[in-house]
Amino acid sequence: MKQEQNSDSHGRAFVTFILTRCQQDRGEAARLRRADNPATEYQSWETLAAFHIDIDKPWLRLPFTTVAAALARAKVEQNGSSGIGQALAGCYEKGNDSDQAKARLRRLLACDSVEEVCRILRPVLSLIDSRDHHSLDYARLLDQLLKFRWDAQTIKARWAQDFYRRTVAEVQP
């Protein structure tokens, strides 16, 4: 339990760190927007090193670069509250009944490694950003990506639960 709390606070601390740096330095924000591209990822390493991330280990580095790039592109001022499943469903008019949304979720749930899930998340996060009506909880997503290597099934189950969850207002006529 205590380990989970430490991990959760690590995600929040990183999101706050990135948001602050993006607001203070536009050049750094521009470099972070390219952090999830393998060809330009190295431009974000200075920022990751400043947060004491071991950039030698891809299973550690890639979750941070994925979330940092998404934060820099979204230009948000604070962390949101929606899980990745809810945000994905919210991108489509039919929500979680949309075939396209279900296909994207299934692709995400089929991932076997942190490296693969980070690669698949890139267009999903761009889609969520382009629809601009959901505030994604980037800290929670980062915490889940950091745990994915050891507990992938639990993380995938949470994403699916979040995707299919309906609010009380949606269920009542």
Side-chain angles (χ1 to χ4, degrees), residues 82-90 95-97 101-111 117 121 124 140-141 144 148 151-167 170:
S82 300
I84 189 72
Q86 183 182 12
L88 176 60
N96 60 14
D97 288 333
K102 289 177 186 177
R104 284 187 181 255
L105 177 69
R106 281 193 297 268
R107 181 62 188 102
L108 200 54
L109 299 180
C111 294
V117 77
L121 265 175
V124 171
R140 184 182 352 162
L141 178 62
Q144 291 171 337
F148 192 87
D151 199 8
Q153 292 305 318
T154 301
I155 300 303
K156 290 178 188 180
R158 287 183 184 156
W159 290 345
Q161 180 70 31
D162 191 46
F163 179 83
Y164 290 110
R165 181 178 303 141
R166 290 178 184 252
T167 64
E170 290 174 322

Side-chain angles (χ1 to χ4, degrees), residues 14 58-68 114 118 142 145-146:
F14 182 73
W59 64 90
L60 270 178
R61 185 185 71 242
L62 292 176
F64 286 100
T65 58
T66 301
V67 170
V114 173
C118 287
L142 177 57
L145 291 173
L146 292 172

Side-chain angles (χ1 to χ4, degrees), residues 17-33 43 46-47 72:
F17 176 77
I18 293 299
L19 291 176
T20 302
R21 292 185 77 122
C22 285
Q23 291 168 356
Q24 292 174 345
D25 186 346
R26 290 182 181 197
E28 187 169 7
R31 288 187 298 275
L32 289 173
R33 282 193 291 273
Q43 295 178 18
E46 180 180 342
T47 304

Side-chain angles (χ1 to χ4, degrees), residues 47-162:
T47 304
L48 298 183
F51 196 74
H52 306 289
I53 297 167
D54 188 352
I55 57 177
D56 289 343
K57 300 173 181 165
W59 64 90
L60 270 178
R61 185 185 71 242
L62 292 176
F64 286 100
T65 58
T66 301
V67 170
L71 278 167
R73 272 194 217 107
K75 299 179 181 174
V76 295
E77 294 182 6
Q78 63 184 12
N79 192 37
S81 60
S82 300
I84 189 72
Q86 183 182 12
L88 176 60
C91 289
Y92 296 91
E93 192 173 306
K94 292 181 178 179
N96 60 14
D97 288 333
S98 165
D99 290 337
Q100 289 179 318
K102 289 177 186 177
R104 284 187 181 255
L105 177 69
R106 281 193 297 268
R107 181 62 188 102
L108 200 54
L109 299 180
C111 294
D112 292 325
S113 68
V114 173
E115 292 85 352
E116 182 182 13
V117 77
C118 287
R119 184 172 38 85
I120 298 302
L121 265 175
R122 183 178 179 194
V124 171
L125 292 172
S126 293
L127 174 69
I128 291 169
D129 181 41
S130 71
R131 301 297 165 109
D132 199 33
H133 59 271
H134 276 84
S135 59
L136 182 62
D137 186 344
Y138 294 95
R140 184 182 352 162
L141 178 62
L142 177 57
D143 291 331
Q144 291 171 337
L145 291 173
L146 292 172
K147 293 176 187 172
F148 192 87
R149 186 166 183 231
W150 293 277
D151 199 8
Q153 292 305 318
T154 301
I155 300 303
K156 290 178 188 180
R158 287 183 184 156
W159 290 345
Q161 180 70 31
D162 191 46

